[in-house]
Amino acid sequence: MPNHSSRSSEKSSLFRRSKTLPTGSYRRFTTPLIPTYRYDSASDLRRDGDGGSCDSDTTNSAVAVLNSESAPSQVLATQSPSQRITKLWTHFSLTHWLKLICSFSFLYVMFLRAKVAKLEAENSILLTRCSRSSSNNENLQLEDVNNRAAVLYSVIMTIALPILLYMYLDDLSYVKNLLKRTNKKKKKEEEVPLKKRIAYSLDVCFSVYPYAKLLALLFATVVLIVYGGLALYAVSDCGVDEALWLSWTFVADSGNHADRIGVGPRIVSVAISAGGMLIFATMLGLISDAISKMVDSLRKGKSEVLESNHILILGWSDKLGSLLKQLAIANKSIGGGVVVVLAERDKEEMETDIAKFEFDLMGTSVICRSGSALILADLKKVSVSNARAIIVLGSDENADQSDARALRVVLSLTGVKEGLKGHVVVEMCDLDNEPLVKLVGGERIETVVAHDVIGRLMIQCALQPGLAQIWEDILGFENAEFYIKKWPQLDGRRFEDVLLSFPNAIPCGVKVAVDGKIVLNPSDNYVLEEGDEILVIAEDDDTYAPGSLPEVRMCHFPKMQNPPKYPEKILFCGWRRDIDDMIKVLEALLAPGSELWMFNEVPDQEREKKLTDAGLNISKLVNIRLVHRQGNAVIRRHLESLPLETFDSSKRLPCKDSKSNVFPSSCWIRKMQQASDKSIVISEILDSRTKNLVSVSRISDYVLSNELVSMALAMVAEDKQINRVLEELFAEKGNELCIRPAEFYIYDQEEVCFYDIMRRVRQRQEIIIGYRLAGMDQAIINPSDKSKLRKWSLDDVYVVIASCQ
């Protein structure tokens, strides 16, 4: 008895504890029929009461097993068939049983209804047989009634069985696990209900296959028409083909069922019409979604560009406006072109920003697309393989990150399977990263190092004021620019005759056919061979052609030597990443004993470290000496500590994070104005819209850095050969653009034509490309009437291409 009472108390304790289980476990384990289990000496789980005794420890062990997630599988593995049936019976709740009973009752009622209809039909036929003698007709009617009944029963069963199966999917899965005999211990795992797995499969199917929804809707429409037609055939007196047609009309137009007569036909027709309304509502939703996606794709710039022979710009930067302007001017002669911009921005934002530039595109169309240049799918979307030129813009990140991204874009371009039709122009920020990009890209890659170009140009402008405007005229497409073309009629002529053969252009060099090398300023004795091309400066590629040789007067002129170089004192205000390269250029150009004062906010100790890390060996500088001063150029008391009036050139560099060069303080302007009376002041302007402020400050010259880089990118995009010319003209060795005084070539008030001056300049192994008269603000490049006589003054200056000394 003590054992029995103890066992009873333990059972009640187990029952109370089982009530605290989660809802899902309560249904399976917390019924009054659940027995208490214990482990015997053989470690088998046995039911308490079937034999043996169970103490408190074994009861607790059984409870622990029941509370674990692996307990059900262990319990099911040791239960007898009768226990399994009991478990199955107790698993279904009252709601489940009511659903099942109602479903089978409905099916049974429909079966009885079909039998009654069949008996009524047979009864009607028997009555007809008694009154008529034709038995064949009666047999046909009886057979037709049997067929209709069979069809109705088949339709009901076919529709009902999938519904019942879906309702009890999870229960069927449980029954399968319950009836499965196994003695193996299963690992702990979470079983996903079958309904969720089916729903997940449908979701994946609709997500992966774009036409799955449309096919599912089509299948549902066909099923509704077929089953609806068969149901109409079963409950009415029409034929199968007529019933199918009526079913389609009910699906297409829900009002067509209004004239149905009889309970059965009305019920079936209403059901078909309701299904048709659901199908057409779903169809409208799919069509609306498809249209919305298409419009959204167009708005976001996701559609494909079907263009060829266009210029493709990859990336977005503050140089884009100037670049588009130059490309539009270049395409003006052919009635405009197509420029496609691919950037990681919204299409509407890009179009809005381009509209803000407020310049005439002159027939050129600009197409914007949103995407990444690192993704091949986005590159194919903008017809990268059909573009005649591809421009990769540098990003607004620091130089290393911008060049790293440019390298990745070049790698993406090399991975285009269709290949590239045109060449690729890459804007680089650091000269040290240029060889790697060329190595990866191969022969199709042309690089323009923005910082290097601007740094060298500013040095040239500091040594020769006014040179920046000359470069604007030559690099831009608004005036004269470089062109290379073959003229077979000039083969066999010497270069001194070729120089005077173009009335509307000025030859500057020759592209040798043998090795493809461009030779600037060749000797007079060079004879053009077959296949050689001539480099000229002209208004456009279709505005010049060779003509007859003009008459040139050979007269004496003052043959002055170039003045010797003297030590100079130059001030750098600000700090640039490529300032080490600028120092190397100054070392090559300046005379020994020159001084370079560096005035910026970088501490003196960090300056030498940065210059050394960049590859500059300060101890090997021979011609210049570095003088460090720390301060801010916009603070007056800092400027007053500098001997501004003693400098030969003062050059203001933008701050590292500056986006536009607006003069920040009148103190800086007043101080620079005082210095401009005795020295040359060169300023770098990033935003061309602020260049009008230069006139206020008496600055000698300015460099529109972003605009000049954009011009260089556009020119190389139009003809990649020009990049070789620009590289030599910007280098510290070879040929360069120079501004020479008139006294080198003429006497004061001498009257000669431009052809005469070309011949005189040629005797100094130089090529004249233009001039600036005294009192004029702009230089004239490639003058139109070269044979016109003009009086020249010693205050005039000439623009020539000469060898660096």
Side-chain angles (χ1 to χ4, degrees), residues 528-541:
L528 266 68
E529 298 180 357
E530 183 179 359
D532 286 352
E533 300 179 46
I534 301 175
L535 172 70
V536 301
I537 292 181
E539 183 70 22
D540 208 340
D541 58 349

Side-chain angles (χ1 to χ4, degrees), residues 490 493-507 545-554 752-760 783-789:
L490 298 179
R493 292 192 184 183
R494 299 172 60 189
F495 184 77
E496 64 175 351
D497 295 331
V498 173
L499 186 65
L500 304 176
S501 299
F502 292 89
N504 297 317
I506 299 178
S548 59
L549 290 176
E551 294 183 3
V552 180
R553 293 180 297 174
M554 299 298 297
V752 292
C753 68
F754 192 77
Y755 278 127
D756 297 335
I757 298 178
M758 290 180 67
R759 181 67 74 183
R760 295 182 184 184
S784 56
D785 193 356
K786 299 180 178 60
S787 59
K788 180 181 179 181
L789 295 177

Side-chain angles (χ1 to χ4, degrees), residues 79-87:
Q79 287 181 341
S80 62
S82 61
Q83 292 175 334
R84 293 170 185 263
I85 295 173
T86 304
K87 199 70 174 178

Side-chain angles (χ1 to χ4, degrees), residues 572-580 583 598-603 606-611 628 653-656:
F572 275 8
C573 294
W575 184 271
R576 292 175 63 107
R577 175 186 174 87
D578 61 337
I579 199 169
D580 58 301
I583 294 175
M598 302 178 66
F599 180 65
N600 50 69
E601 295 182 292
V602 180
E606 294 185 14
R607 294 183 192 180
E608 294 188 0
K609 183 178 183 302
K610 288 185 176 182
L611 293 175
H628 297 284
L653 303 181
C655 299
K656 179 179 179 182

